[in-house]
Amino acid sequence: MKNKRNRLQVVLDLLQHHQVSSQQELVNLLAEQDIHVTQATLSRDLRSLRVTKIATDNGSFMYIIPNNNDLHDSLLMSGQSVPKTAHQYGFVSIEFSENIAVIKTRNGYATGLAYDIDMSKMPEILGTIAGADTVFAILREGVTHEEARLALHRFIEINPIDS
């Protein structure tokens, strides 16, 4: 059992530090660590770790670890979209007042949304301020509300032409 636990930890470490797109690639990375597994064993390991395979923005695939903030942050900072789960941000509405976007969320969701917007370093947004259910996103000079909507669409399900 100890060997399985060690192997699972190595799998987690590899997935956190490499963009792995196939089980064969992961088998090879494990072999470099002197851990030799069959595809069937690896498949069971991935299932037990609840690892998911997602499509990236460039059309390739990669394995992700659920709720892995390091990977989440890396994807945001590299300009990639982060896979959204249903109601991930608890989005309720968005309104604008000059260069401020007021984003309403369900209670408790605003800080996570503000964090992701800030980590993405979008050129349209200077920064955010979050409460429990509201995010103030400050738009850069000259950014239109439409441009802000398009940029924020990565994080919240808004129609760029709705008010």
Side-chain angles (χ1 to χ4, degrees):
M1 192 63 155
K2 187 175 181 181
N3 287 339
K4 179 179 180 179
R5 215 179 344 224
N6 291 343
R7 183 178 69 243
L8 293 176
Q9 185 58 54
V10 172
V11 168
L12 288 173
D13 291 342
L14 288 170
L15 293 177
Q16 286 176 339
H17 296 98
H18 296 44
Q19 184 171 340
V20 179
S21 60
S22 70
Q23 285 189 15
Q24 186 57 52
E25 186 179 344
L26 189 52
V27 166
N28 295 340
L29 287 169
L30 286 166
E32 290 173 11
Q33 304 284 323
D34 283 331
I35 299 173
H36 303 282
V37 295
T38 65
Q39 199 102 20
T41 298
L42 182 59
S43 186
R44 283 190 297 274
D45 288 350
L46 293 174
R47 197 169 28 258
S48 75
L49 292 169
R50 298 181 186 202
V51 170
T52 304
K53 193 173 193 178
I54 62 163
T56 63
D57 290 346
N58 64 9
S60 64
F61 292 91
M62 69 182 286
Y63 286 102
I64 62 166
I65 303 162
N67 300 322
N68 181 334
N69 289 331
D70 292 337
L71 176 63
H72 185 89
D73 292 351
S74 296
L75 287 171
L76 286 171
M77 288 189 291
S78 69
Q80 299 263 348
S81 296
V82 176
K84 290 183 248 190
T85 58
H87 307 295
Q88 179 176 1
Y89 295 117
F91 174 72
V92 174
S93 67
I94 185 170
E95 291 186 50
F96 292 90
S97 177
E98 295 190 21
N99 71 327
I100 299 173
V102 180
I103 305 166
K104 293 289 192 174
T105 69
R106 292 178 47 224
N107 191 34
Y109 286 77
T111 55
L113 175 58
Y115 177 83
D116 285 353
I117 291 169
D118 288 339
M119 286 300 292
S120 72
K121 299 185 184 330
M122 282 187 267
E124 298 86 355
I125 308 293
L126 282 171
T128 63
I129 301 169
D133 64 356
T134 304
V135 175
F136 293 118
I138 311 304
L139 310 183
R140 289 194 188 275
E141 290 294 324
V143 171
T144 67
H145 296 170
E146 180 65 20
E147 290 168 333
R149 285 178 190 281
L150 289 171
L152 291 168
H153 190 263
R154 282 178 50 195
F155 303 101
I156 53 182
E157 295 298 322
I158 55 175
N159 185 337
I161 57 173
D162 287 348
S163 290

